[in-house]
Amino acid sequence: MNNEILLKNLRNVPDFPIKGIQFKDVSTLFKNPECIQIMVDELYEMYKDKGITKVVGIESRGFIVGAILAYRLGAGFVMCRKPGKLPAETKQMTYNKEYGTDTIEIHTDAITEDDVVLLHDDLLATGGSMYAAYQLVKEFNPKNVMINFIIELTIEGLNGREVFPDECDITTLIKI
Ligand code: AMP
């Protein structure tokens, strides 16, 4: 029921950023007070008993709900960013995209072995960017790593889940 409200308010932008892509524009969920409450409340219920100590948001749409959720869970918030944005010492992970490669970074002091981490982003498409973030976070050897997306795209033959190992705990609020 709640997910129907999210689906109804999610804007689809055809041919953005390039022809053929059906872009799921989460800005229409972020600007809607009911939708942002639904998303954060649902995620809070899902993760409140998991002992999460750090929420890691992926730049940039993963920062919005990720940071609010961290506050609700009483956890810290960590940014996983594009190269050159984080000011202190970083670790990097480079991953393949459809055309070329991309890199993400995290501060080397962002996570400790005592942390229970929830990785969060707005949307799962191929899974490439989140898998890179997952590998980066695993290098810190935290107690546990969980993964969440607001939207999971399964149309057009996409199955982003399959890039992750079977033991990965992945949740999504809406499947399209
Ligand atoms: P991927 O690494 O292929 O799973 O891509 C996920 C990232 O790209 C997310 O951070 C999304 O914000 C963005 N993205 C990929 N495809 C779409 C789409 N169809 N609509 C909106 N965002 C997308």
Side-chain angles (χ1 to χ4, degrees):
M1 188 61 188
N2 280 344
N3 295 355
E4 279 168 30
I5 298 172
L6 298 182
L7 268 174
K8 201 181 80 197
N9 282 282
L10 178 66
R11 175 161 56 198
N12 187 75
V13 184
D15 299 325
F16 182 88
I18 55 167
K19 201 161 172 49
I21 301 287
Q22 299 291 327
F23 194 84
K24 307 299 170 203
D25 177 15
V26 288
S27 76
T28 54
L29 301 182
F30 294 161
K31 77 171 180 181
N32 181 305
E34 187 184 15
C35 290
I36 204 143
Q37 254 167 18
I38 289 170
M39 292 187 286
V40 176
D41 288 351
E42 284 201 10
L43 289 171
Y44 175 71
E45 287 304 318
M46 286 157 71
Y47 289 103
K48 66 181 180 191
D49 300 322
K50 305 277 189 191
I52 309 284
T53 57
K54 297 263 171 65
V55 177
V56 177
I58 315 294
E59 183 168 1
S60 59
R61 289 179 292 266
F63 291 172
I64 317 298
V65 168
I68 305 170
L69 182 62
Y71 174 78
R72 280 288 298 280
L73 291 171
F77 181 72
V78 169
M79 294 179 282
C80 219
R81 298 206 66 180
K82 289 168 185 147
K85 303 275 187 184
L86 291 170
E89 191 189 341
T90 61
K91 287 151 85 74
Q92 292 91 21
M93 186 66 65
T94 296
Y95 60 99
N96 289 322
K97 303 225 311 181
E98 202 175 352
Y99 302 104
T101 61
D102 221 335
T103 301
I104 51 164
E105 293 189 341
I106 193 167
H107 276 143
T108 51
D109 61 358
I111 294 164
T112 72
E113 293 190 353
D114 293 326
D115 278 321
V116 176
V117 176
L118 174 63
L119 274 157
H120 169 82
D121 202 0
D122 66 327
L123 184 139
L124 170 62
T126 66
S129 51
M130 182 59 91
Y131 186 55
Y134 174 76
Q135 287 173 294
L136 207 46
V137 166
K138 286 291 267 188
E139 285 181 6
F140 291 90
N141 204 22
K143 282 186 183 155
N144 198 4
V145 184
M146 289 160 257
I147 300 175
N148 166 263
F149 301 89
I150 297 166
I151 302 158
E152 177 171 1
L153 280 190
T154 56
I155 43 172
E156 293 153 13
L158 280 171
N159 184 9
R161 280 178 184 260
E162 75 187 3
V163 305
F164 296 89
D166 286 348
E167 70 270 15
C168 258
D169 182 344
I170 304 174
T171 64
T172 58
L173 295 183
I174 354 175
K175 286 193 176 60
I176 301 174

